[in-house]
């Protein structure tokens, strides 16, 4: 394994999701791995309509090419491992993050046997439900789930506030060490 793609599923480019993923990326780099943090941005991401055109064409891409889904599929396919981080909105990850995950996996992103970790960031509550929601699709496609010393969760509302969550940042570092192993 040499490259880990970290997807920032927050509409805030350098908010607390970025903070947590950056902590993991620094540890992965200390372990000798290359990292890339990809931000999904603030533009709309279509939901999957289960049309099956991606399966009929067999090219591993979604028929809709007007958002970042196919570009992200290419990045996922080029990586050896994947971490997806997202904030918690009303107890779940943002809709655009879930839409991206569902379309990527339905279209055939190459994730089988590729180590995967989910990261949830929240102000107070909903973190365990959001964490589980992020993990579940990858459990269904044979992506080995990378664990840590606790669930991969950190707390913070204002940008940078997650750095004050010492246990959350330690959890990110341990998750990264486990992934590198």
């Amino acid at each position: 394994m040499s490259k880990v793609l970290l997807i920032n599923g927050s509409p805030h480019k350098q908010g607390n999701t970025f903070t947590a993923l950056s902590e993991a990326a620094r540890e992965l780099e200390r372990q000798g791995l290359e990292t890339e943090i990809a931000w999904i941005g603030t533009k709309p991401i279509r939901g999957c309509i289960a049309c099956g055109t991606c399966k009929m064409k067999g090219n591993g891409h979604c028929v809709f090419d007007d958002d970042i889904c196919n570009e992200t599929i290419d990045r996922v396919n080029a990586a050896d491992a994947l971490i997806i981080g997202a904030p918690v909105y009303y107890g779940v990850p943002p809709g655009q993050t879930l839409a991206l995950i569902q379309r990527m996996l339905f279209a055939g992103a190459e994730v089988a046997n590729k180590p995967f970790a989910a990261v949830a960031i929240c102000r107070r509550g909903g973190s365990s439900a959001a964490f589980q929601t992020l993990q579940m699709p990858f459990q269904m496609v044979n992506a080995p789930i990378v664990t840590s010393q606790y669930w991969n969760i950190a707390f913070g509302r204002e940008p940078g506030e997650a750095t004050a969550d010492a246990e959350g940042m330690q959890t990110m570092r341990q998750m990264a060490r486990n992934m590198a192993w």
Side-chain angles (χ1 to χ4, degrees), residues 16 20 26 41 43 61 64 71 77 79 94 100 124 127 134 147 155 157 159-160 174:
N16 287 308
R26 281 189 293 276
K43 293 181 180 162
H61 283 107
F64 298 118
E71 173 189 333
N77 292 349
L100 180 65
R124 260 186 116 68
S127 58
L134 288 167
T147 62
F155 295 94
R157 179 177 181 197
Q174 185 61 50

Side-chain angles (χ1 to χ4, degrees), residues 33-177:
L33 299 174
E34 178 187 348
T35 65
E36 174 189 359
I37 298 178
W39 179 51
I40 68 169
T42 57
K43 293 181 180 162
I45 299 174
R46 291 176 177 263
C48 181
I49 62 167
C51 66
T53 304
C54 56
K55 303 293 185 205
M56 286 185 282
K57 287 188 173 186
N59 65 358
H61 283 107
C62 181
V63 66
F64 298 118
D65 200 19
D66 58 354
D67 61 24
I68 65 161
C69 184
N70 289 331
E71 173 189 333
T72 305
I73 288 172
D74 291 339
R75 285 175 156 174
V76 167
N77 292 349
D80 300 301
L82 177 63
I83 299 172
I84 296 181
V88 176
Y89 294 160
Y90 299 99
V92 293
Q96 70 267 29
T97 304
L98 297 177
L100 180 65
I101 290 169
Q102 291 166 358
R103 280 182 52 216
M104 284 188 331
L105 296 181
F106 195 79
E110 298 165 11
V111 296
N113 302 311
K114 196 173 280 193
F116 168 79
V119 170
I121 309 300
C122 72
R123 178 183 69 87
R124 260 186 116 68
S127 58
S128 58
F131 176 66
Q132 181 181 1
T133 300
L134 288 167
Q135 276 194 157
M136 288 174 69
F138 292 89
Q139 291 172 327
M140 295 173 62
V141 293
N142 296 317
I145 304 298
V146 176
T147 62
S148 187
Q149 64 196 30
Y150 195 70
W151 296 318
N152 304 332
I153 295 168
F155 295 94
R157 179 177 181 197
E158 299 303 319
E161 200 171 60
T163 58
D165 179 7
E167 183 179 10
M169 293 300 102
Q170 173 57 31
T171 300
M172 296 305 122
R173 291 188 298 272
Q174 185 61 50
M175 173 198 61
R177 287 189 289 272

